[in-house]
Amino acid sequence: MKILVTGAYGQLGGELCRMLRDDAAPRDIDTLDLTDEQAVAKALLEVRPDAVINCAAYTQVDRAEAEEKAARAVNVAAVEYLAHACDTLNCPLVQISTDYVFSGEDRDTPYREDALPSPRSVYARSKYDGELAAARCAKYLIVRTCGLYARPGDERANNFVKTILRLGRSRSELRVVADQHCTPSYVPHVARAVLSLLGVDRSEPAPWGIYHVTNRGAATWYNFAAEIIRLSGMEVSLKAITTAEYGPAARRPAYSVLDTTKYHALGGPAMPTWKEAVAEYFGESV
Ligand SMILES: NC(=O)c1ccc[n+]([C@@H]2O[C@H](COP(=O)([O-])OP(=O)(O)OC[C@H]3O[C@@H](n4cnc5c(N)ncnc54)[C@H](OP(=O)(O)O)[C@@H]3O)[C@@H](O)[C@H]2O)c1
C-alpha cells in the first residue's frame, strides 16, 4: 500500500507518516507545491498512490483575513487539482477539514455531518470550498476535525498547548477566551481514526462521504488552558475573557462541537475524551 500524504511536515501529516512508515509517500511544499497544478498531476502519476490524504493547508486563521488569495490557493485550488488527479487514477482523496465551516450561532448541540455549513471567515470559507472541491472526486472522505495539538515531541508544531506552556512560563497571568465551545483534539487520536476510515486497519474503507473526528466532550479554550496548567504544574493565574475582549481578526464559531456518532458507528478506534487526551499528552512528555 502507498499513501501520498501532503502537508507531511505539519501536525497531522507528520503523525500520519510516522504511523504509516514505509507505506507513506510524504510530500510538503519543498517536494510538492500543491498550488502548481502540473506538479500535482505529475506527482500522482509518479507515485500512483492507493490513496491521497491531504493534510496541507493554509492554517493561519487570522492572517487569512488579509491574505485571501494565498489561503484559497492552498485550501481550494490545490484541492481541485488533487481531486482531478485522484479521479484520473481512480484513487480516493481524504480531505481534512474543520469545525469552523459551521457558524456556531444560536447553537448548543453538536453538529452532525448533514448540518448545513455556514462559514464566517476567509479561512472557514476557503476550507468549505475545499470540501466542495474534494466532494467532486468519485471516491472521497472529508474528515472535519478541531483544535489539533500534536505529540509533545513534534518540534515544528504550532498549537494551543505549546502556546500556553510557553506563555505560562514567562507570565504571571494568562487571559484566555471562555465563550468559544469546541473539542480540542490530540493528533495521534485523529490520525488513527483517519487511517481507520481509509480502511488501513481493515479490508474496506468507510463509505465515501463526510465524517466528524474529534476527541469527545466539549471545552472552552479557558477550560483547555486550565487543564494544561493543572497537568503541567505551572503556577500561573488564569483569567477568563470574551472573544470580543481578545479581538481576533477572524470571526470564530461560539459553538462548534462536532457529533462523532457516524465515525464511532463504524467500529473504529474509540476517541478518548478531550481530558483523557490531554492527560495522555502530558504522560508522553515526562
Ligand atoms: N490546527 C488545527 O487546530 C486544525 C483544526 C481543524 C482542522 N484543521 C485542519 O487539519 C489539517 C491539518 O492541520 P495541521 O494543524 O496539521 O496543519 P499544519 O501543521 O499547519 O500543516 C500544514 C502543512 O501544509 C504545508 N503547506 C502549506 N502550503 C502548502 C503548499 N502550497 N503545498 C504543499 N504544502 C503546503 C505547510 O507548510 P508551511 O508550514 O511551510 O506553510 C505545513 O507543513 C488542515 O487541513 C487544517 O485546515 C486544523
Side-chain angles (χ1 to χ4, degrees):
M1 178 169 256
K2 194 53 85 186
I3 299 186
L4 195 142
V5 180
T6 63
Y9 300 151
Q11 299 195 88
L12 184 58
E15 182 66 39
L16 284 164
C17 291
R18 279 188 286 280
M19 288 181 173
L20 285 164
R21 297 166 183 245
D22 292 345
D23 289 341
R27 295 289 186 278
D28 207 291
I29 191 143
D30 55 349
T31 44
L32 174 57
D33 179 353
L34 294 173
T35 63
D36 179 340
E37 185 171 9
Q38 285 184 350
V40 170
K42 188 164 167 266
L44 263 83
L45 280 172
E46 273 169 17
V47 176
R48 295 202 163 261
D50 297 294
V52 174
I53 308 179
N54 181 27
C55 301
Y58 180 110
T59 53
Q60 301 294 315
V61 178
D62 289 314
R63 203 192 300 164
E65 294 297 308
E67 294 186 358
E68 182 163 9
K69 206 171 154 199
R72 293 187 67 86
V74 187
N75 294 352
V76 189
V79 187
E80 290 169 355
Y81 306 153
L82 282 170
H84 179 69
C86 283
D87 255 353
T88 307
L89 295 175
N90 193 30
C91 157
L93 172 62
V94 182
Q95 171 65 15
I96 309 299
S97 193
T98 170
D99 57 319
Y100 282 12
V101 298
F102 295 114
S103 74
E105 287 161 13
D106 302 322
R107 182 92 191 184
D108 59 5
T109 52
Y111 283 99
R112 286 184 2 177
E113 288 79 353
D114 56 4
L116 189 66
S118 184
R120 292 287 198 258
S121 68
V122 167
Y123 167 78
R125 273 193 297 278
S126 73
K127 291 297 294 182
Y128 180 48
D129 289 344
E131 289 188 2
L132 298 177
R136 279 183 222 120
C137 191
K139 298 177 177 177
Y140 74 92
L141 295 171
I142 290 166
V143 179
R144 295 189 185 125
T145 188
C146 171
L148 294 180
Y149 58 102
R151 287 180 198 272
D154 186 340
E155 285 171 12
R156 302 173 77 118
N158 279 317
N159 58 52
F160 185 80
V161 182
K162 279 191 163 181
T163 302
I164 293 296
L165 291 174
R166 178 168 45 81
L167 296 179
R169 288 188 191 108
S170 58
R171 297 184 187 175
S172 57
E173 182 186 84
L174 298 182
R175 301 164 80 240
V176 177
V177 297
D179 58 357
Q180 290 172 33
H181 304 256
C182 65
T183 311
S185 296
Y186 191 33
V187 161
H189 299 161
V190 174
R192 192 173 61 191
V194 168
L195 294 182
S196 148
L197 284 169
L198 200 46
V200 169
D201 61 353
R202 63 181 131 182
S203 53
E204 285 295 313
W208 309 124
I210 304 175
Y211 292 87
H212 289 171
V213 173
T214 63
N215 282 121
R216 287 184 293 119
T220 65
W221 297 109
Y222 174 87
N223 300 144
F224 190 27
E227 197 63 6
I228 294 163
I229 291 168
R230 187 182 74 77
L231 288 164
S232 67
M234 288 189 303
E235 289 192 10
V236 56
S237 77
L238 186 61
K239 183 169 185 266
I241 60 167
T242 63
T243 301
E245 284 174 286
Y246 185 64
R251 281 174 73 183
R252 287 167 170 76
Y255 184 95
S256 58
V257 179
L258 302 179
D259 184 327
T260 60
T261 307
K262 186 178 173 191
Y263 162 75
H264 281 109
L266 291 170
M271 298 299 287
T273 66
W274 72 267
K275 277 195 180 180
E276 288 166 345
V278 70
E280 188 174 321
Y281 175 99
F282 280 97
E284 284 186 32
S285 65
V286 289

